[in-house]
Amino acid sequence: MARSIVSTQSIGLAAFSLLAIQLPLVNAVFLNSASDLPTNATPFDFIVVGSGPGGAVVASRLSENPQINVLLVEAGPSDEGVLEIEIPAFAATAPKTYEWNTTTVPVPSLNGRSVEFRRGHVLGGGSSINGLVYTRGSAELYDGWARMTGDNGWSWENIQRYIRKNEKWMHPNSRRNVSGEFNPAVHTFNGAVSASLGNEPDYLFDRLGLDSAKLQDEFTFNLDMNSGNALGLGFTQWTVGDGQRSSAATGYLNATVKARPNLTILVNTYVTRVLSDGTGKNIRKVEIGDRSTSTVDTVLSHNGWGKPK
Ligand SMILES: *[C@@H]1O[C@H](CO)[C@@H](O)[C@H](O)[C@H]1NC(C)=O
Ligand SMILES: *[C@@H]1O[C@H](CO)[C@@H](O)[C@H](O)[C@H]1NC(C)=O
Ligand SMILES: *[C@@H]1O[C@H](CO)[C@@H](O)[C@H](O)[C@H]1NC(C)=O
Ligand SMILES: CC(=O)N[C@H]1CO[C@H](CO)[C@@H](O)[C@@H]1O
């Protein structure tokens, strides 16, 4: 949630080209390697670098317009058919292949240790490998961002329409009685990313926690941790629907979206550089290649393939 769409991993690059020759694109363009890119492809209107919660959403929303031709480039592989990604209980066992293997600098408050800093290297980015806890953040956090940026669009109140638009609240994939365990008034049921309470009903552990919540005032029972008030004891909500992980990839790059002829998804491909058009103002090309090669395989440009300026 915290990474904004202008982060380095998800820059939407405009490459406007009104004179583009419209060559037909094949249906459902999902490419596993940069070498599969057709050399005579239509120039792209937008190139989105990185397919995490920022890039996947931008590419998905832009390609809703059939007039806009979008390329989404992801360094890692596809998430599809990877059981450790799909099955929530397997989350901790996902192979490191799907991560960037980054660690932090030594952290003074951790006694100087450097710790793992997990980042997804797979379609869907971090949302394909994270621990699936559905946390919106607190109202205070968003209001803090609004104050810091001077942009009231970030306020808790104003961000609600996007939070709601994103969410598809579902009943757990079990007969758990969820009444009194979340607040339906703060959830919506038609968005892209599924969220639900866990399948397991009424753990003894939960009961003990909730009983202790009644005995003291500091951490009281919180009906819904995603209501803007994240303090207290309440039931964990998960980005899980129908027993499966719901991610930026499953939510925003589902089969229907992948079938759009004007969206090309290219995985296993590193963007090595973004290039200015020389004016210092516009970025209209990206270099792509294999991370293991220092030379550049291909140059993407609004002028077409293989025609670097
Ligand atoms: C991370 O390390 C694993 C092996 O531990 C490797 O297979 C994987 O390719 C690495 N990921 C990246 C992005 O380098
Ligand atoms: C579900 O739980 C609520 C609140 O605890 C209770 O009032 C209701 O009877 C339960 N429903 C069923 C079908 O058990
Ligand atoms: C896939 O996502 C699109 C766009 O968010 C949505 O309109 C469509 O209903 C989804 N399809 C399925 C099968 O969920
Ligand atoms: C620019 C481009 O390739 N647009 C295509 C997007 O997909 C629609 C069909 O959904 C095609 O008709 C467009 O040609």
Side-chain angles (χ1 to χ4, degrees), residues 89-148:
F90 288 177
T93 69
K96 289 288 171 199
T97 333
Y98 301 108
E99 300 193 22
W100 281 97
N101 302 332
T102 37
T103 45
T104 66
V105 295
V107 183
S109 53
L110 292 175
N111 202 19
R113 281 175 300 151
S114 58
V115 293
E116 198 182 19
F117 185 76
R118 298 186 66 205
R119 293 163 67 217
H121 180 258
V122 58
L123 205 68
S127 70
S128 291
I129 58 135
N130 66 17
L132 299 111
V133 175
Y134 177 45
T135 312
R136 293 175 180 171
S138 65
E140 209 177 324
L141 176 84
Y142 286 94
D143 290 341
W145 287 357
R147 274 194 308 276
M148 257 184 268

Side-chain angles (χ1 to χ4, degrees), residues 273-294:
R273 284 197 296 170
V274 292
L275 301 170
S276 146
D277 64 358
T279 64
K281 286 183 190 156
N282 305 314
I283 292 171
R284 298 195 171 182
K285 299 180 190 179
V286 301
E287 280 181 354
I288 58 175
D290 187 308
R291 196 192 196 191
S292 60
T293 59
S294 53

Side-chain angles (χ1 to χ4, degrees), residues 78-306:
S78 168
D79 62 318
E80 229 173 287
V82 182
L83 293 184
E84 292 92 340
I85 289 176
E86 281 174 7
I87 300 173
F90 288 177
T93 69
K96 289 288 171 199
T97 333
Y98 301 108
E99 300 193 22
W100 281 97
N101 302 332
T102 37
T103 45
T104 66
V105 295
V107 183
S109 53
L110 292 175
N111 202 19
R113 281 175 300 151
S114 58
V115 293
E116 198 182 19
F117 185 76
R118 298 186 66 205
R119 293 163 67 217
H121 180 258
V122 58
L123 205 68
S127 70
S128 291
I129 58 135
N130 66 17
L132 299 111
V133 175
Y134 177 45
T135 312
R136 293 175 180 171
S138 65
E140 209 177 324
L141 176 84
Y142 286 94
D143 290 341
W145 287 357
R147 274 194 308 276
M148 257 184 268
T149 57
D151 178 354
N152 207 39
W154 285 110
S155 73
W156 172 254
E157 196 188 324
N158 286 328
I159 210 81
Q160 285 309 303
R161 55 184 288 223
Y162 302 107
I163 285 179
R164 302 271 179 128
K165 194 173 174 183
N166 176 62
E167 181 187 88
K168 182 180 183 176
W169 182 264
M170 294 177 76
H171 195 275
N173 203 20
S174 71
R175 279 184 288 177
R176 174 172 177 171
N177 180 359
V178 294
S179 150
E181 300 187 342
F182 77 109
N183 180 4
V186 302
H187 294 277
T188 42
F189 306 86
N190 302 312
V193 173
S194 306
S196 62
L197 289 162
N199 284 347
E200 325 74 25
D202 205 8
Y203 266 146
L204 176 62
F205 182 78
D206 294 337
R207 284 296 132 205
L208 293 175
L210 296 179
D211 285 348
S212 68
K214 289 181 198 143
L215 300 175
Q216 40 79 44
D217 296 329
E218 196 179 359
F219 298 110
T220 51
F221 176 63
N222 185 340
L223 177 60
D224 203 304
M225 311 298 274
N226 280 327
S227 62
N229 167 26
L231 289 180
L233 288 164
F235 290 96
T236 307
Q237 300 175 7
W238 308 91
T239 46
V240 171
D242 257 340
Q244 289 192 15
R245 176 189 293 270
S246 191
S247 68
T250 65
Y252 289 91
L253 305 171
N254 65 21
T256 320
V257 175
K258 277 179 178 152
R260 288 177 188 158
N262 53 315
L263 172 65
T264 301
I265 301 175
L266 172 60
V267 294
N268 301 313
T269 302
Y270 290 85
V271 167
T272 44
R273 284 197 296 170
V274 292
L275 301 170
S276 146
D277 64 358
T279 64
K281 286 183 190 156
N282 305 314
I283 292 171
R284 298 195 171 182
K285 299 180 190 179
V286 301
E287 280 181 354
I288 58 175
D290 187 308
R291 196 192 196 191
S292 60
T293 59
S294 53
T295 55
V296 170
D297 292 343
T298 320
V299 176
L300 299 187
S301 131
H302 66 297
N303 287 326
W305 297 104

